[in-house]
Amino acid sequence: MKSRRPRVVARIAACTGILFFGSILQLAVAQDSAKLPYMNPSLAPEQRAADLVHRMTLAEKASQMYNNSAAVPRLNVPAYQWWSEALHGVINQGVTEYPEPIGLAATFDEPGIHLMAKQIGIEGRIKHVQNAREGHTGIGGGLDFWAPNLNIFRDPRWGRGQETYGEDPFLTGRMGVAYVTGMQGDDPRYYLTIATPKHYAVHSGPEPTRHFADVDVSKHDEVDTYEPGFRAAVVEGKAGSVMCAYNAINGAPACASPFLLQDQLRGKWGFQGYVVSDCDAVRDIAANHRYRPTQPQGVAIAVIRGMDNECVDSVSRLGEPAEKAYIDAVQQGYLPESTLDTALIRLFTARMKLGMFDPPEMVPYTKIDEKELDSAEHRALARKLANEAMVLLKNDGLLPLKPGIKKIAVIGPLADQTRPLIGNYAGQPTHIVSVLEGLKAEFPNATITYVAGTQFLHADGNPVPDNLLTTPDGKPGLKAEYSESMGRPGRTANPTVLASRTETNVKLTDSNLPAEVAGKKSIGVHWTGFITSPETGDFLVGVRGVGFAMLTVDDKRVAMMFSGAEAGAGVGRVHLEKGQKAALSILYGSMSGKPRTELIWAKVNNAPSPEAIAAAKNADAMIAVVGITSALEGEQMPVTEPGFLGGDRTSIDLPEPEEALVEAVAATGKPLAVVLINGSALAVNWINAHANAVLEAWYPGEEGGAAIAETLSGKNNPAGRLPLTFYTGVSQLPNFEDYSMETRTYRYFKGKPLYPFGYGLSYTTFQYSGLTLPAQAVAAGQPVVADVTVTNTGKVAGDEAVELYLKFPDVKGAPQIALRGFQRIHLESGASQKLYFELKDRDLGMVTEDGNPIVAAGDYTLVIGGGQPDTGAPGVSGRFHIDGQLALPE
């Protein structure tokens, strides 16, 4: 028998030659692509994008339709990750984190938000360059940022309301325009970054039902409340992208809504950018909304209606490659390939405008000095905006704290923590100033005693004893399976297990990794087994370390951890019975650096500590730092504490353990200032009645602790205003799932709240005078000009947030009152400033009960002051008349 070796060698040689020839050919094609029209910077971006798309195969086109767009080497198209976040700072390492947007809204400082967004855009560009240099092409490394959140905070129970600019569509619109124009830059040819207003459009909880809910809403409420912020960001701000929401509206999923996407966005508003879906929202069209029977039909209707880029929250869709549904949609006749081309042309036009296909020297934003990342200038603005966000809710004279106060007791679980201060959707700053750190710096001559006072919100615990853990097959310890991490646990479907072993406990460090994963940039671990408690009771069980972690007990998600360079923890409450096994599952993914995590627990004990009461008795004054955190309110997530459900709240009261703590220390009779840390309204009725002072601080960002301390000392004179109504309790609210605006927000609520929208006190006083309005009737469509003089009549300098409200003619559909102008000014003691307001047709507009925007004929009342009329705020009012009625474009 002849040897087969020469034939095999010949085949190898032939294949090698083919591969070599193929490589040369591919290189030649890539080099030749430089001469093609899509690489010609002198052509229009849309023309270049069309040329590129028309050269792609169907498979190549499909690979570009979701957030993790693949490379097309033969056309010299690099891979690109569309998913990056920058809600109030880039989500990345070593960045500047400004206050959470609900706090930014409280500043009433439109220019300040614009400057902040510009700084965020600069940091986004720098991180993009650094990530590309480091070979990181995953989530967070791109130039398309999914912010701002322009949803209306219609109900304080919604967990993600903290991400918004509050309950008012006018304030939301002004802040949205400021953010978008800052993020996108002012170069006439290239974007600094692309901003993405989200979640278009009628979207505000509940979180647990968001993937299948169908919201019924009137056209009046859509046009009057839910759309104006988005319209302003698109029409005025020229946003390059918009994100469609999860839920359905009036029977159609938001990402396939003919009214939202075709009639309004691309029709009446003339939007030319691209639409990206929220993550898995396109999958929901068939899987959860049942709007179409199959995934190919679901993606087809989304693209036909105007969705251009799908966020897929894992590496596959229902076990298949994400792009397969698009290929099937075309091949099965549901989606014309020309319609797919339209979506892709929008996407590549965006990449052209970001400068991704042009020589770097042509793009001005490639020349940004990397020293601007987390610079002193950026941190200074973070401090300034945090100061501006402070809202003084009550003050009987205790604040600012007098120099004679020498002993200060700082009480409360949030005073020494830093992670809660940066809120939801936050990156990792190099340093976060805690409230305690800020107070020690601001009051260096005072003796400051800190006691947390309660276990609640302190994610502390001891390592779970080894002898309480057993593997799935009954052996001591836990089963551990190691893989190469693809990001947050649970996002990678069926990861390949590289190593499996039994471990005594969850005590992961970089020194005890299996050899198969040691040295890898990121790893994933899945521990499974059981815990058997030696006693019956409620326990806090969780994980502490660096990275992502998710803990499940008896198939119920209990806790999550998300921590960057500094160690963090996530715990949840579970009930355990003595001697009974409870199933454990811990998913972990390292982010960067050295992996580290451990399993912790503690028995629940929320009683106020005797040490807190003792510290209060020994103090000249008390500062209680209480509230909630983004681990309790936020995006759909497990929360096991009473008063919270799936990221939302079922009660708007201060959590009972903190209420009990404040009442216990207040009983000592010592002067008490309460600082609230939160992202939504709190019904602090008892505190309002009994504390000497109440300061709303929100989630104030990396400089938040310093800003709080400077406000308590008087170095910062507070002038923040509430961007949402603080109700007395849920009894003043309609059903959470009811999206009707009737009785909601200050514009339609008829009751008496705890604190009204637009409310905020100062350490000085202001007077308004000299209001001038048109004496003659104004023709509909003409502007109305108002002038007013504001004087600081107090003894100290301070800012004043000047608010302009309108009361409309008696036309059905009109709100009771509406904010239609604001300016933040600074006045020295005794100084005055004349302000000018010009109200254009849209500022004067309202929406009829049928959903038609108009400027109504009749008498208007205009009020300018430091808050709403009839709330105790200083101000002046006048009247003017409009002749004729004008229909406004939707």
Side-chain angles (χ1 to χ4, degrees):
M1 182 175 178
K2 293 184 178 178
S3 172
R4 298 178 57 192
R5 185 173 182 275
R7 186 179 300 174
V8 172
V9 171
R11 286 181 177 176
I12 292 174
C15 290
T16 303
I18 292 170
L19 289 171
F20 178 73
F21 177 75
S23 299
I24 293 296
L25 183 61
Q26 189 174 17
L27 179 62
V29 168
Q31 290 174 338
D32 286 346
S33 68
K35 302 175 183 178
L36 295 174
Y38 68 85
M39 293 298 288
N40 184 352
S42 67
L43 299 178
E46 296 81 2
Q47 183 181 352
R48 298 170 65 188
D51 177 74
L52 173 56
V53 170
H54 292 147
R55 295 176 188 276
M56 290 182 172
T57 65
L58 176 59
E60 289 168 342
K61 291 175 182 178
S63 74
Q64 305 300 302
M65 285 300 294
Y66 60 105
N67 57 289
N68 191 23
S69 295
V72 185
R74 72 178 189 87
L75 295 175
N76 209 23
V77 175
Y80 185 59
Q81 174 56 258
W82 294 86
W83 184 350
S84 292
E85 305 277 4
L87 186 71
H88 53 115
V90 179
I91 295 191
N92 216 308
Q93 302 289 322
V95 295
T96 309
E97 285 299 322
Y98 304 85
E100 188 81 13
I102 195 66
L104 295 172
T107 68
F108 278 65
D109 183 359
E110 193 174 343
I113 303 311
H114 176 84
L115 178 58
M116 175 203 72
K118 182 179 179 181
Q119 292 182 355
I120 293 173
I122 287 170
E123 295 202 356
R125 269 280 174 177
I126 294 170
K127 293 306 296 188
H128 174 68
V129 170
Q130 291 180 347
N131 290 162
R133 188 167 60 226
E134 296 163 2
H136 168 66
T137 57
I139 294 171
L143 290 173
D144 293 75
F145 290 94
W146 294 352
N149 185 333
L150 300 185
N151 293 129
I152 295 299
F153 200 174
R154 65 181 173 90
D155 192 304
R157 289 170 287 195
W158 185 35
R160 297 188 72 180
Q162 61 185 291
E163 301 174 26
T164 76
Y165 294 102
E167 70 181 34
D168 183 69
F170 179 82
L171 178 61
T172 296
R174 300 327 309 157
M175 295 305 193
V177 171
Y179 183 97
V180 168
T181 54
M183 277 289 286
Q184 295 190 164
D186 53 10
D187 187 85
R189 179 169 183 169
Y190 294 104
Y191 286 124
L192 171 60
T193 64
I194 288 180
T196 306
K198 65 183 183 182
H199 312 82
Y200 183 62
V202 188
H203 178 81
S204 49
E207 283 298 298
T209 64
R210 63 183 185 166
H211 286 282
F212 55 84
D214 185 1
V215 171
D216 294 322
V217 64
S218 68
K219 186 180 178 185
H220 169 273
D221 288 347
E222 283 189 286
V223 176
D224 174 66
T225 297
Y226 295 112
E227 289 185 2
F230 290 97
R231 186 187 190 280
V234 169
V235 177
E236 294 180 59
K238 308 298 180 186
S241 170
V242 168
M243 175 183 282
C244 52
Y246 285 116
N247 56 285
I249 300 98
N250 295 331
C255 289
S257 168
F259 178 75
L260 289 177
L261 298 181
Q262 294 176 319
D263 181 81
Q264 300 285 286
L265 184 65
R266 296 200 188 276
K268 293 183 173 70
W269 303 353
F271 178 63
Q272 299 297 313
Y274 72 89
V275 174
V276 61
S277 81
D278 208 339
C279 296
D280 285 343
V282 173
R283 172 188 172 275
D284 290 340
I285 292 172
N288 291 320
H289 293 300
R290 310 293 183 185
Y291 190 67
R292 290 293 186 271
T294 67
Q295 284 297 313
Q297 288 169 287
V299 303
I301 194 62
V303 176
I304 289 168
R305 296 274 169 84
M307 190 286 308
D308 306 301
N309 185 257
E310 178 189 0
C311 176
V312 181
D313 203 9
S314 66
V315 296
S316 65
R317 178 208 311 274
L318 302 176
E320 294 183 334
E323 60 265 31
K324 184 177 185 298
Y326 293 92
I327 296 172
D328 291 347
V330 173
Q331 292 180 340
Q332 294 171 18
Y334 300 122
L335 177 62
E337 190 167 354
S338 60
T339 305
L340 188 69
D341 290 351
T342 298
L344 290 167
I345 290 169
R346 291 175 184 143
L347 294 176
F348 278 102
T349 297
R351 291 181 70 173
M352 298 290 176
K353 289 182 176 180
L354 286 165
M356 294 181 176
F357 290 84
D358 292 351
E361 59 271 14
M362 289 188 63
V363 184
Y365 300 122
T366 61
K367 305 174 181 66
I368 296 173
D369 189 342
E370 293 189 21
K371 292 180 181 178
E372 290 195 53
L373 180 67
D374 189 32
S375 66
E377 179 184 359
H378 292 191
R379 291 194 299 273
L381 182 61
R383 171 84 65 94
K384 179 176 185 288
L385 292 174
N387 273 321
E388 291 185 356
M390 298 293 134
V391 182
L392 186 60
L393 299 176
K394 179 183 179 181
N395 187 24
D396 67 0
L398 174 62
L399 299 181
L401 293 175
K402 310 303 183 288
I405 293 177
K406 298 300 183 183
K407 293 187 293 183
I408 301 173
V410 180
I411 310 293
L414 297 177
D416 67 333
Q417 296 189 57
T418 56
R419 181 61 186 84
L421 299 184
I422 58 175
N424 201 13
Y425 273 77
Q428 296 296 318
T430 54
H431 182 68
I432 304 171
V433 182
S434 71
V435 178
L436 187 60
E437 181 185 350
L439 289 170
K440 289 180 177 179
E442 190 64 22
F443 298 95
N445 298 320
T447 299
I448 296 178
T449 303
Y450 171 63
V451 182
T454 177
Q455 181 194 61
F456 183 72
L457 290 184
H458 251 225
D460 293 333
N462 298 312
V464 173
D466 296 350
N467 64 345
L468 303 185
L469 303 174
T470 52
T471 65
D473 57 359
K475 298 176 182 177
L478 295 171
K479 180 182 179 182
E481 295 179 319
Y482 288 78
S483 60
E484 189 163 5
S485 174
M486 297 295 289
R488 187 178 299 180
R491 281 190 172 157
T492 303
N494 303 315
T496 302
V497 176
L498 302 179
S500 180
R501 66 187 186 185
T502 297
E503 298 179 351
T504 57
N505 206 326
V506 178
K507 296 178 181 177
L508 181 69
T509 69
D510 62 322
S511 63
N512 61 7
L513 295 172
E516 292 88 341
V517 296
K520 292 190 178 295
K521 187 174 181 180
S522 59
I523 65 163
V525 193
H526 187 194
W527 289 276
T528 53
F530 298 92
I531 182 171
T532 305
S533 175
E535 59 179 310
T536 296
D538 289 344
F539 292 82
L540 296 177
V541 183
V543 284
R544 179 169 54 208
V546 176
F548 295 106
M550 183 167 62
L551 169 69
T552 300
V553 179
D554 283 337
D555 296 323
K556 180 181 178 182
R557 193 177 294 181
V558 169
M560 295 182 70
M561 177 191 75
F562 168 55
S563 179
E566 296 183 4
V571 297
R573 183 194 292 236
V574 297
H575 183 79
L576 299 176
E577 292 286 339
K578 179 179 179 179
Q580 292 188 11
K581 289 182 177 181
L584 285 181
S585 170
I586 303 103
L587 284 165
Y588 172 80
S590 65
M591 289 176 59
S592 58
K594 298 178 179 179
R596 175 160 50 101
T597 194
E598 63 177 336
L599 183 64
I600 60 174
W601 77 336
K603 194 163 185 181
V604 172
N605 176 15
N606 285 328
S609 72
E611 293 83 359
I613 297 169
K617 289 179 178 178
N618 191 45
D620 297 327
M622 299 177 290
I623 300 171
V625 186
V626 293
I628 53 182
T629 76
S630 290
L632 295 175
E633 58 170 352
E635 192 166 7
Q636 185 178 11
M637 61 182 177
V639 181
T640 55
E641 291 294 339
F644 301 88
L645 178 65
D648 298 320
R649 296 195 288 159
T650 58
S651 167
I652 62 171
D653 297 339
L654 185 70
E656 192 279 330
E658 292 178 295
E659 186 83 22
L661 174 63
V662 174
E663 292 185 18
V665 297
T668 65
K670 296 298 179 74
L672 171 64
V674 175
V675 177
L676 300 176
I677 306 294
N678 50 290
S680 54
L682 288 170
V684 287
N685 300 289
W686 191 94
I687 286 173
N688 181 62
H690 295 88
N692 301 92
V694 183
L695 180 68
E696 174 56 74
W698 315 107
Y699 299 133
E702 66 176 56
E703 291 290 328
I708 291 168
E710 289 182 350
T711 305
L712 296 174
S713 76
K715 183 182 292 184
N716 173 53
N717 189 350
R721 299 287 193 266
L722 292 181
L724 71 166
T725 303
F726 275 45
Y727 301 95
T728 60
V730 294
S731 62
Q732 290 190 321
L733 296 169
N735 186 293
F736 185 16
E737 296 185 34
D738 182 0
Y739 269 70
S740 168
M741 290 306 296
E742 185 178 359
T743 75
R744 287 193 183 278
T745 76
Y746 80 98
R747 294 184 306 134
Y748 298 103
F749 176 63
K750 293 181 173 23
K752 182 176 175 56
L754 178 62
Y755 305 115
F757 173 92
Y759 174 80
L761 303 175
S762 172
Y763 295 149
T764 190
T765 56
F766 295 92
Q767 184 180 64
Y768 289 75
S769 62
L771 174 65
T772 61
L773 288 169
Q776 305 298 319
V778 177
Q782 295 302 306
V784 170
V785 173
D787 293 317
V788 70
T789 297
V790 186
T791 303
N792 182 347
T793 55
K795 297 180 179 179
V796 295
D799 284 8
E800 174 74 335
V802 180
E803 304 166 41
L804 185 155
Y805 292 90
L806 286 184
K807 293 183 179 180
F808 299 85
D810 186 15
V811 177
K812 289 185 177 180
Q816 302 171 134
I817 193 169
L819 179 75
R820 291 302 163 89
F822 60 88
Q823 297 182 44
R824 186 175 180 122
I825 61 173
H826 180 82
L827 290 174
E828 296 296 320
S829 175
S832 298
Q833 184 174 338
K834 187 174 183 178
L835 300 182
Y836 172 88
F837 290 91
E838 181 180 10
L839 303 181
K840 299 180 180 178
D841 53 8
R842 203 147 205 101
D843 303 322
L844 297 166
M846 55 152 290
V847 179
T848 69
E849 63 179 346
D850 294 329
N852 300 312
I854 64 169
V855 175
D859 293 325
Y860 290 71
T861 299
L862 180 147
V863 182
I864 300 179
Q868 288 187 61
D870 305 319
T871 62
V876 290
S877 65
R879 294 167 68 86
F880 63 91
H881 184 86
I882 289 182
D883 272 346
Q885 178 173 303
L886 176 70
L888 297 173
E890 289 182 15

